[in-house]
């Protein structure tokens, strides 16, 4: 009878402790349901205040429970609620899993602590250890993040790690399709796969769909600044500039102390502003010099795309949005522009009729470029029309997207395979 009373009391205490920690994480995750975005700068302070209050309430429990693995795990979890590494959290969680190696949540929390500590190897060991005890979505999606962050000089190994990362994230989603965090992690995995495997548009869409699904099934996902930044990064690469700017802006509103979204938003605004001015002014090349540059745009510069069976030379103004498969365009470079992140290499192209369009080249080595007055031939040009509006600014222009310099002729000469390189991406992964 005494044993039953003791077990009942222990169960009641465990439930109370778990309730306290769940309330703490609910306060963090649903912060913007009870606070306006204008309070975003206070969020971390408020969460830390709630954390200290929770720890104090937990420590009011009788001393005998403080040595229990479950208590230590919950205390470590509470200390781990902030985005920063906590040594106290590591100490509590390490003791918890030593006392009870089968404590799956303890291993997951300890793995996240190591992740914040930038100790990727130890984080991976923890998540694998948790999975050895029980297959669970938290370990799977965290392992997905770890796989993408493993450093490797071997490109094939790096690709395998990213493919495995997608696999782990998919499994996490399959275990609970209503978990927005798992969908967000899957979106990040697809984002990495997109840049690792040749920028397949299908994979890009899978990433965007995963981010959209995260917001659909979990309203707290809309308050995740990392999701907005990572999606904006992909939108920028896809030349969906208005969505990219909105995403960077939203991320900075949700986390005002985070300088990167503000910087990226301003860099993109500066790039678009400079580009539009250069296009209107044709790189400030006018009069006789521009006429001389355009006067000798001869068919010989079309190379293999001229003659019988070749593509039809058309003026820039005749292009239709999308891929123009039946034609080739030819013009002279009047300016070049490199964004802060060096992607895409951008130049202005003026054709014989005087139209000036932007040409955006991706996947080029750093040493590749074109000079003012170079002729450039673009077969089957992919035209995009941009009308970007953001915070009172409007940017309207036409551009041609080129996935690799290998697709171009410069001064009538093909660009060799050595001019091509893979794109890279910078985004921020997020733990629980």
């Amino acid at each position: 009878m005494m044993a039953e009373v003791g077990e009942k009391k222990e169960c009641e205490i465990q439930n109370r402790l778990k309730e306290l920690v769940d309330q703490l994480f609910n306060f963090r995750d649903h912060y913007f349901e009870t606070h306006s975005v204008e309070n975003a700068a206070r969020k971390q302070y408020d969460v830390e205040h709630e954390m200290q209050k929770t720890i104090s309430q937990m420590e009011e429990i009788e001393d005998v429970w403080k040595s229990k693995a479950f208590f230590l795990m919950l205390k470590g979890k509470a200390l781990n609620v902030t985005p920063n590494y906590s040594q106290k959290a590591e100490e509590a969680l390490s003791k918890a899993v030593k006392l009870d190696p089968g404590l799956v949540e303890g291993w997951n929390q300890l793995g996240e602590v190591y992740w914040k500590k930038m100790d990727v190897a130890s984080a991976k060991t923890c998540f694998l250890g948790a999975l050895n005890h029980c297959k669970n979505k938290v370990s799977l999606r965290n392992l997905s993040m770890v796989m993408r962050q493993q450093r490797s000089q071997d490109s094939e190994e790096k690709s395998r790690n990213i493919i495995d990362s997608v696999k782990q994230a998919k499994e996490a989603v399959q275990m609970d399709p209503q978990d927005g965090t798992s969908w967000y992690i899957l979106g990040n995995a697809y984002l990495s796969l997109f840049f690792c495997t040749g920028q397949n548009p299908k994979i890009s869409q899978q990433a965007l769909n995963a981010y959209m699904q995260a917001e659909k099934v979990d309203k707290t996902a809309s308050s995740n600044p990392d999701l907005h930044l990572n999606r904006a990064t992909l939108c920028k690469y896809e030349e969906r500039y208005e969505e990219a700017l909105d995403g960077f802006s939203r991320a900075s509103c949700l986390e005002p102390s985070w300088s990167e979204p503000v910087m990226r938003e301003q860099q993109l605004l500066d790039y678009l502003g400079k580009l539009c001015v250069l296009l209107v002014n044709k790189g400030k090349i006018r009069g006789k010099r521009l006429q001389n540059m355009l006067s000798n745009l001869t068919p010989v510069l079309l190379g293999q795309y001229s003659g019988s069976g070749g593509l039809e030379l058309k003026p820039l103004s005749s292009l239709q949005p999308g891929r123009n498969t039946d034609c080739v365009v030819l013009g002279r470079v009047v300016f070049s522009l490199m964004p802060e992140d060096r992607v895409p290499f951008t130049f202005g192209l003026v054709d014989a009729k005087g139209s000036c369009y932007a040409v955006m080249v991706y996947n080029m080595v750093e040493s590749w470029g074109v000079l003012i007055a170079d002729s450039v031939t673009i077969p089957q040009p992919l035209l995009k029309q941009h009308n970007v509006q953001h915070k009172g600014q409007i940017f309207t222009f036409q551009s041609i997207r080129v996935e690799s310099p290998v697709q171009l002729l410069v001064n009538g000469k093909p660009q060799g395979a050595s001019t091509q390189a893979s794109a890279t991406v910078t985004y921020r992964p997020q733990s629980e």
Side-chain angles (χ1 to χ4, degrees):
M1 186 70 176
M2 292 294 292
E4 289 180 6
V5 171
E7 288 177 7
K8 183 179 179 181
K9 183 178 181 182
E10 181 172 356
C11 184
E12 288 175 354
I13 290 174
Q14 286 187 355
N15 289 339
R16 176 56 182 154
L17 292 171
K18 186 175 184 303
E19 182 183 353
L20 285 171
V21 177
D22 286 347
Q23 287 172 352
L24 171 63
F25 276 78
N26 187 72
F27 177 83
R28 182 197 70 177
D29 296 339
H30 296 266
Y31 184 83
F32 291 106
E33 293 175 31
T34 54
H35 299 74
S36 68
V37 176
E38 285 72 24
N39 294 122
R42 285 186 53 88
K43 180 181 177 182
Q44 187 165 337
Y45 171 83
D46 289 343
V47 171
E48 288 177 359
H49 178 73
E50 287 295 313
M51 178 191 74
Q52 295 298 337
K53 190 168 72 173
T54 300
I55 296 295
S56 296
Q57 290 175 309
M58 293 176 70
E59 290 182 342
E60 290 175 2
I61 305 296
E62 297 176 52
D63 287 344
V64 67
W65 303 106
K66 294 183 181 180
S67 61
K68 298 285 187 177
F70 190 77
F71 177 91
L72 289 167
M73 184 275 290
L74 286 175
K75 183 178 179 181
K77 181 178 179 180
L79 290 164
N80 194 33
V81 73
T82 67
N84 302 321
Y85 164 74
S86 166
Q87 185 176 345
K88 290 182 178 179
E90 181 182 345
E91 291 170 355
L93 292 164
S94 295
K95 289 178 184 177
V97 296
K98 283 178 182 176
L99 288 169
D100 184 358
L103 205 55
V104 171
E105 190 173 7
W107 284 113
N108 282 331
Q109 287 292 326
L110 183 57
E112 290 175 18
V113 169
Y114 283 130
W115 175 262
K116 294 174 184 177
K117 194 180 180 180
M118 310 284 289
D119 187 348
V120 177
S122 295
K124 181 180 179 182
T125 299
C126 290
F127 299 139
L128 287 172
L131 286 169
N132 285 336
H133 289 287
C134 174
K135 184 177 178 181
N136 65 94
K137 63 183 182 181
V138 176
S139 298
L140 286 167
R141 67 194 185 205
N142 285 348
L143 189 59
S144 172
M145 293 192 300
V146 168
M147 296 298 291
R148 295 197 302 277
Q149 294 301 309
Q150 288 190 129
R151 294 181 179 179
S152 175
Q153 299 299 319
D154 183 76
S155 58
E156 288 188 9
E157 182 181 358
K158 185 176 180 181
S159 296
R160 284 195 301 271
N161 286 340
I162 293 174
I163 291 170
D164 285 343
S165 167
V166 173
K167 179 183 175 183
Q168 305 288 353
K170 277 184 175 179
E171 285 191 44
V173 166
Q174 288 166 0
M175 289 193 73
D176 184 2
Q178 297 305 308
D179 191 307
T181 301
S182 296
W183 279 108
Y184 162 66
I185 299 297
L186 179 58
N188 287 349
Y190 278 132
L191 177 64
S192 294
L193 185 65
F194 173 75
F195 285 101
C196 176
T197 56
Q199 296 92 55
N200 185 327
K202 180 181 177 182
I203 298 174
S204 168
Q205 192 57 51
Q206 286 174 314
L208 293 172
N209 288 345
Y211 290 139
M212 181 176 68
Q213 192 66 16
E215 292 185 293
K216 181 179 179 181
V217 302
D218 182 2
K219 56 186 177 183
T220 64
S222 295
S223 302
N224 180 351
D226 305 290
L227 184 151
H228 290 287
L229 178 99
N230 295 343
R231 179 166 55 195
T233 299
L234 184 54
C235 287
K236 176 181 176 295
Y237 188 87
E238 296 275 90
E239 297 177 14
R240 296 160 65 163
Y241 293 124
E242 189 166 321
E243 292 174 71
L245 289 165
D246 289 344
F248 292 139
S249 179
R250 181 64 177 167
S252 64
C253 287
L254 291 168
E255 194 167 331
S257 62
W258 189 18
S259 61
E260 188 171 352
V262 180
M263 177 188 71
R264 294 224 211 158
E265 180 185 5
Q266 191 57 53
Q267 286 177 347
L268 184 50
L269 286 171
D270 290 345
Y271 166 75
L272 293 172
K274 290 176 184 176
L275 178 58
C276 287
V277 170
L278 287 167
L279 286 169
V280 169
N281 295 321
K282 298 180 182 177
K284 296 184 180 180
I285 298 177
R286 296 192 183 90
K288 189 174 289 187
R289 185 186 177 195
L290 182 59
Q291 290 177 6
N292 289 338
M293 287 169 56
L294 301 178
S295 63
N296 56 0
L297 284 172
T298 60
V300 69
L301 296 172
L302 298 176
Q304 68 264 36
Y305 302 114
S306 65
S308 59
L311 299 171
E312 182 184 356
L313 176 62
K314 288 188 177 181
L316 291 168
S317 59
S318 71
L319 298 180
Q320 297 299 311
R323 179 74 65 184
N324 293 260
T325 58
D326 60 343
C327 70
V328 60
V329 294
L330 171 65
R332 293 281 181 188
V333 177
V334 291
F335 69 82
S336 63
L337 178 65
M338 184 73 81
E340 289 289 334
D341 57 4
R342 305 189 65 79
V343 178
F345 181 88
T346 308
F347 62 90
L349 190 73
V350 176
D351 68 3
K353 291 187 176 294
S355 297
C356 186
Y357 284 18
V359 179
M360 300 179 175
V361 185
Y362 296 81
N363 299 302
M364 70 288 168
V365 296
E366 284 194 23
S367 59
W368 185 85
V370 292
L371 302 174
I372 291 175
D374 279 347
S375 74
V376 177
T377 303
I378 309 174
Q380 300 182 328
L382 175 60
L383 179 72
K384 294 200 170 190
Q385 292 183 329
H386 304 274
N387 185 18
V388 181
Q389 300 182 45
H390 185 71
K391 294 182 177 178
Q393 298 187 64
I394 300 175
F395 309 97
T396 303
F397 61 97
Q398 291 80 31
S399 71
I400 296 173
R401 184 183 179 101
V402 179
E403 295 297 342
S404 165
V406 173
Q407 299 173 6
L408 304 174
L409 300 182
V410 179
N411 297 321
K413 298 177 181 178
Q415 304 299 285
S418 61
T419 64
Q420 180 171 303
S422 298
T424 57
V425 62
T426 302
Y427 68 97
R428 187 166 86 161
Q430 178 189 359
S431 62
E432 289 291 293

